[in-house]
Every structure is written in structure tokens, then in C-alpha cells.
Amino acid sequence: MRGSVAAAVAGAVLLAGCTGAEPEPIQRLDPPSAAPPSTPPSTPPSTPPSTPPSTSVPSDAPAAPAPPANAADVRAGTAMNAVHHLAGRIGPRPATSPAYFRAAAWVERRLTELGWRVDRQRFHTPAGVSWGVPVPAGPSVNLVATRGDVRSGRPWLLVGAHLDTVPQAPGAEDNASGIGVLLSTAEALAGHRTRLPVVLVAFGSEEPRGPTDADHHYGSRAYVAGLDAQQRRTLRGMVALDRVGVGRVVPIGAARDGLLRDDPVADGLVREGRRIGVPTTFEPGERSSDHWSFVAAGLPGARLGSTPYAAYHSAADVPEVVDPAQLRRTAQLVVAWLTG
């Protein structure tokens, strides 16, 4: 991320247990430049109109601070649009498949349109069996979005959601819902300030490719592996959005067993939920999402989501499963945590 947290993963990354892969640095993919106009622009007047003295602003006047982000500004429609596009139009998107890269390109465009700078972190994902279906090895990619305010040595926050699915599922709830809330958060933060600089990440290769804990979460493990000691020391919290569109209460999962007060990220989320009127439930010992890659490395993290539902990892995981009201509740909680 060249002077930012995005630079943390600009180096080569090899995952534990994945050998023979050629690591690639984060790559900035700028939106295509507009085509040059067919005719030259009109010449401006040689003498511009004068500005009335009463409205002139000194050139060295400081810019007005951005207003704080507000959880009430969250738009559930933005999240549902993502659910319909990813699960309804693209469908199943295992992390090394062409469908996954189409989904990544769409999410990248949306983040860019919302004013975020997006870098791609490529990493190798091994072959395996994902929910009973063989899946090939190959490259996958994380999308890392920043706003230019992350500084080396300064505290920062991260919110992430995995973009991939198991082979047989369109993945509306698991996990287009999480990506939808990520985009709603990006929209609510646009032009607004948070308590600390924020990094948003769409992770690849979260879904399992084998029976053990080492057989999934490849994208978030690659991201964590790329953080240097200073960036690890200054990360104040990571929240994983995973299956966040079902139910009426937002589950808050802590990776460690123990009391709520023992987990500062989960405790902060519960407090913000109370403050803004979003009902939550605390679930200790929750390790089945990308936050575990951070906690296992000694970094602070928690999960939002995990309400059971009948269509889990099946062809029935379609957009109709997802409740826009639950997406709104989750996104409001995220924005409140980032600003509170």
C-alpha cells in the first residue's frame, strides 16, 4: 500500500502449506481512462468573471473537516443490489474460478465508484474438495480498499467479507450478504470521517478445501502474512462479515472462549449495538471465518453473522433467503463501531 496499510501486503506472500506458488505483489488497477474528446474543448474566456469580495476564500484556508459517518445513512438497497448481482446473476464463485474473478471485477468497480482506491493482492490457493466437490488449484485475489488516510505507525481498523462460495451454492447469504454490507459501509463512509482510518477487504478463498482448520481462510491468511510488525502493532480491530442477512438479531462472535469483557472488539460491537438500538447476541469460541486468521496471529478480531439457515452451502442459497432489514442492522452496527 505504499505508505499505507495496503503496502503491508505488497510483498510476496506464500501461504502455509502451499508450495510451488509464485507470489505476486498487490497491484493497483486504476479505472480505464476516458477516451479523448473528438474535438478540443472550448477555450475559456480570456478574462474570467471576478469573484465578489464577500465570497472569496483565501487559497491557504484549511478545508472544512468532513462530517462523521452516521449509521442512519446506511442504505440496505446497496447491500441487496450486491446480493442480487453476485448470487442472482453470477452465481457460484469458487475462489479460483472465472466466476470468482468476474465477481471480483464487479466489486472492485463498485468500490471505485464510491471513491475508494482498490488494490489486488494475489495468492495461491491449493486444490482440494470443497463441500464434497473437487476444486482446482490456482490463483485467487483479495481486494484491498483504502481512502488514502492510512499512515504507517498510526492506528487503523479493518472490515472484511469473503467473496467466494462453495461450488454448488449461489451464495446469497454465504456470502453475498457480507459483501453487500461491506459495500453499504463503503457508501456510508464516503465523504465522512471515522474514529480511525479504515481498510475494507473482500477476501478470496475463505471456503474449505479439506477437512481441517488449515484447509480454508487462504485469502485472509495471505493478508495477515503480509502485515509487518508495525502494522500488526497498530491494528486496533478487525471485523469479519460472514452470513449477515438472516435473522433479527446480529450474532457477534469472539474467537476465544471466555467472557465478553475479555474481547475488546466483540465488547465494542455489543456496546455500539446497545447505543444505536441494534439487537445482538454474543457467541464465544467462534472461529469459522476470516477473523480467525487475525486472532490466531495475535491480532484483535471478531465476526458478525452466523445465524443458521436451511439453504446453507446449497443451491437454495438464493437472494430470497436474505432479509434487507438484517443487512441494514448489520451495516448500521459496523458504521457505528467505526465511528463510535
Side-chain angles (χ1 to χ4, degrees):
M1 292 183 185
R2 298 178 292 279
S4 71
V5 170
V9 285
V13 175
L14 284 177
L15 293 175
C18 302
T19 59
E22 288 295 330
E24 300 183 38
I26 279 189
Q27 299 176 355
R28 173 73 188 276
L29 296 186
D30 292 314
S33 300
S38 56
T39 58
S42 59
T43 303
S46 56
T47 305
S50 60
T51 304
S54 60
T55 59
S56 62
V57 178
S59 60
D60 59 350
N70 191 330
D73 292 338
V74 162
R75 297 175 59 195
T78 297
M80 277 306 302
N81 179 58
V83 171
H84 282 287
H85 186 87
L86 295 172
R89 296 186 62 182
I90 295 178
R93 44 197 182 279
T96 59
S97 68
Y100 178 83
F101 285 94
R102 289 197 301 273
W106 184 82
V107 173
E108 182 179 7
R109 286 195 301 272
R110 292 293 297 118
L111 286 166
T112 301
E113 290 165 359
L114 292 169
W116 294 73
R117 166 180 168 155
V118 182
D119 296 283
R120 289 192 168 205
Q121 179 194 16
R122 298 179 186 274
F123 58 90
H124 178 74
T125 303
V129 177
S130 183
W131 219 249
V133 180
V135 285
S140 191
V141 66
N142 295 328
L143 303 178
V144 183
T146 57
R147 299 191 292 177
D149 56 349
V150 181
R151 297 289 181 266
S152 180
R154 303 286 184 86
W156 57 291
L157 300 168
L158 186 147
V159 179
H162 75 86
L163 179 57
D164 63 311
T165 70
V166 294
Q168 62 270 57
E173 171 66 349
D174 190 12
N175 188 39
S177 66
I179 293 293
V181 168
L182 193 77
L183 292 174
S184 289
T185 300
E187 182 180 53
L189 299 188
H192 295 79
R193 70 178 187 271
T194 51
R195 60 187 169 97
L196 293 174
V198 174
V199 176
L200 304 178
V201 184
F203 291 114
S205 301
E206 187 273 347
E207 293 291 1
R209 291 181 168 232
T212 74
D213 287 343
D215 297 320
H216 57 171
H217 305 161
Y218 296 100
S220 54
R221 285 158 53 192
Y223 184 87
V224 171
L227 296 175
D228 65 28
Q230 183 167 250
Q231 289 147 349
R232 292 172 185 238
R233 186 174 62 253
T234 54
L235 177 62
R236 294 294 181 262
M238 180 274 182
V239 171
L241 307 170
D242 196 347
R243 292 169 39 203
V244 293
V246 170
R248 297 182 179 181
V249 174
V250 179
I252 298 175
R256 305 295 186 189
D257 296 314
L259 300 175
L260 175 61
R261 65 172 179 265
D262 297 329
D263 190 301
V265 178
D267 185 54
L269 289 164
V270 169
R271 284 188 284 105
E272 289 302 322
R274 291 194 190 109
R275 183 176 68 84
I276 65 172
V278 169
T280 64
T281 182
F282 176 59
E283 298 182 351
E286 171 56 71
R287 301 177 182 176
S288 56
S289 193
D290 287 309
H291 68 298
W292 175 238
S293 298
F294 290 77
V295 177
L299 304 175
R303 173 183 179 173
L304 295 183
S306 76
T307 301
Y309 68 113
Y312 177 65
H313 281 189
S314 77
D317 191 2
V318 294
E320 289 72 22
V321 169
V322 176
D323 180 4
Q326 182 72 340
L327 296 179
R328 181 184 298 106
R329 284 187 284 268
T330 306
Q332 287 177 332
L333 180 57
V334 173
V335 172
W337 178 74
L338 292 172
T339 57

